[in-house]
Amino acid sequence: MKELDALLRDKVRMLGNALGNTIRNDLGEDTLAQIETIRKQAKRARTGDEEERDKLLGLLKGLSDDSLVPVVRGFNQFLNLANLAEQQHGISWRREDAGEESTDTMFPDLIKRLVEAGIEGDDLTSKVAAANVELVLTAHPTEVTRRTLIQKYDELSHLLQQRDDLHDDHPSLASIEERISCLINEIWHTDEIRKVRPTAVDEAKWGFAVIENSLWYAIPEMLRSMNIDLMERGAPALPLDAVPVRFSSWMGGDRDGNPNVTSTVTEEVLYLARWMAADLYLRDIEHLGSQLSMYAGTAQFKEKYQSHEPYRECLHELRARLENTREWAQANVDGEVCELEPLLDDAELIEPLKACYDSLVGCGLKSIADGDLLDTLRRCACFGLALVRLDVRQESTRHSAVLAEICDFYSWGNYLEWSEEKKQEFLLKELTSRRPLIPEFWEPSDEVAEVLATTRVLAQPIGRGVSCYIISMASEPSDILSVALLLKSSGVRHNLPVVPLFETLSDLEQSGPRMEKLWQVPWYREYSQCRQQVMIGYSDSSKDAGQLAAVWAQYQAQEILSRVADEQGYSLRLFHGRGGTVGRGGGPAHRAILAQPPGSVRGGLRVTEQGEMIRFKFGLPEIAERNLKIYISAVLEANLLPPQGPVKEWRDTMSELAGVGVDSYRAMVRDNPDFVSYFRAATPEQELGKLSLGSRPARRRSGGGIETLRAIPWIFAWTQIRLMLPAWLGADSALEDQIHRGKLSTLRQMYCEWPFFRTYIDMLEMVLSKADAAIAAYYEALLVEPDMQPLGSLLRQRLGDVTVLVLQVKEQSELLEHNQSLQQSMQVRDPYTDPLHYLQAELLYRERQSADVVSTEVEKALMVTMAGIAAGMRNTG
């Protein structure tokens, strides 16, 4: 195997040494020696030698309660620092693979291919401008890293970049490394486990911080770089208002199953976003005011701004309006009345800046206009005054409950018992009625009152910062019409997009016919202007049917929705609710987009980005710029150079695979009477609730089986014990069935020629490479009653079987044969993650045996192992 890049190895070693010095200074040489002894023994145990593993386990079992926390913290922090080094090294100009084909060349290479295909000049630029990518930032219930530590890690990244830029004998090198050591010291003395669960408003502020610290800089830099690539191919620069990528958020708007997201929270988040936007623009205006000191200007501009420094005069007026906006937003957050007039329309922000730009260009100062002023205009086009548009999401039964109480109040009957046809007839009648629907003197239940309070927030001017209203568990046209009625009845005057979310296997299968019925309703066609967004759920469908059946159902749902939309004259935009892990639809963005059905991204792409994946992909400006280009490039390629769709034989094979897969998955997860008990015994699922993670509860309701557990902690728990079950269970039976029937050559052809199947198999391979049957077996031996252990043996056997089957399809002798970077990454982490796994199992055993008497050290050490393993796996849920 190729060795780690020498420079990356140097960074990991330097950070590790600094951490070691910090531990030595804080806890003494003995503690550091203890950690180092365990690490070295873990490395020897990785060879598979049982004797060496027993030595490691002996070292870990011999740890006293007082030693637990320092040891697990040491391993946890090394893994975080290794992640940091890898992330920063990926954008380093000094990395050894910088000259190889990489994501850095993806966009210019695509532009070259598009020109060769005859798409050039104005046409090329207009197609890039219209890429229509929207990334929706969502909070993550298992994002384990505290924000105060994220800020320190970000500073470390910047210091590593500065270190890359200096020669080894540069006089500033020592001071940079001294600051790195100081930061690591700060990190070590900061508690990595939250004491208080973050609120939904805290989560929204974290989302704003990602924009403030990274995306605010990445957007103009990305567009500047894309302009260079376009102009090098003879195409004009992108228009000033070009926005190939936008951002929305669920933080403070996603109330599905989260009682902590209320109308008050949504309103506060909307005002905070306005405050943050105004503050960021004020920083830009302050800088531009010092920069644009020139007196030259066009006659038209100088006629309006008649001072000797007309640009500063123009910016001074805008600054005053932005200050008013910031003060107005703060007053509303504080619940105070504010008479100041805020900026509410993006045009009011853009027009004066555009006037400055046009004047500078008109008098020959285009180079100045295309500097920082252009960057601010780009930000205005992307972020606007709302900064990040908020999605509101609510579960469909909550809307039905509102209408049921209204119907009961008026003695109209039992809405919940009506047929779909009667519901639609009622809703359409009320939608065209001129009288109010909501009674004036009426005391609804608390839950109904809360739904109506939310729709009233959307009727306020601040509600313009909401992008759409998403209905989870949507199943019929009445679910969409009911929301439209409640919005209208609450005073929402603009036609806010209503977005159904199809999540379960059956909902995905019925999504096409259901939308067809809705799109045939004349009232709705006028309301929607024949434009529709539909959300495809990934995580719940995977938990419901298994990953294999889910991905095929998602693919087919996109196909039929696209076809029906064309037939009904609708412009369709699909919204992909993908998580960060494969078990929740995650994976490399470029390949995932190209794996979608041909034609399914014609209306653009909307996709969720969650928790730690936001940090990994968009936490630093340079990394954000690269990942944004990947999204734009993939959408352009999917639309302009689409891959070939599957032939009938492949589709039939995929349907057979999915059928066997779902039956096999459900036979284990739903029908095996020991499965839920085994899951709760073998994994830290029960203990997960003690972590102060996101604002949303881990369960939709207390008790019950896995159907009550959210998809994220479901996957988190299996990842912690390295069985990775949600991503592969069912695929083993399905692949074995096809190969047994002599269809291995068909599977290999599908892998080579069908991007969808290739992406699925590659993602499966990646997950299997992170699985470890021996570690899972250790958890079982300590934590699971003997009568249930045969179930674990069967699961580990099936894990081994699916690994062999994937290797057969890929014609490889080992996993990750063609993904050396991940192989190397896991090699670096294994000596640190292995002890955390074994310690976690031991700590779970101690805690469960101790009943109510659990030491503080054991409790904290257990929480840290969860964070450390998540860091080692580079994902949580």
Side-chain angles (χ1 to χ4, degrees), residues 467-502:
S467 57
C468 63
Y469 195 115
I470 300 168
I471 314 167
S472 56
M473 295 300 173
S475 59
E476 295 288 351
S478 61
D479 292 327
I480 291 89
L481 295 174
S482 63
V483 170
L485 177 58
L486 294 179
L487 292 171
K488 170 182 175 287
S489 301
S490 299
V492 178
R493 292 291 171 256
H494 60 290
N495 292 358
L496 185 68
V498 181
V499 180
L501 164 54
F502 297 109

Side-chain angles (χ1 to χ4, degrees), residues 759-791:
T759 298
Y760 170 72
I761 292 294
D762 285 348
M763 290 300 97
L764 184 55
E765 177 195 30
M766 184 273 288
V767 172
L768 294 174
S769 75
K770 292 185 175 184
D772 192 306
I775 287 174
Y778 186 74
Y779 279 84
E780 177 189 283
L782 273 183
L783 304 172
V784 179
E785 295 296 329
D787 61 333
M788 285 194 296
Q789 290 186 7
L791 175 58

Side-chain angles (χ1 to χ4, degrees), residues 175-216:
S175 63
I176 289 175
E177 294 189 350
E178 183 178 345
R179 177 56 188 153
I180 288 173
S181 295
C182 182
L183 264 175
I184 290 174
N185 201 1
E186 293 174 18
I187 289 167
W188 177 255
H189 287 90
T190 300
D191 198 338
E192 54 269 270
I193 302 300
R194 297 187 187 97
K195 300 300 183 187
V196 180
R197 186 179 293 274
T199 67
V201 173
D202 291 334
E203 290 171 337
K205 289 179 178 177
W206 177 78
F208 299 158
V210 173
I211 295 175
E212 176 187 13
N213 298 325
S214 179
L215 295 173
W216 193 255

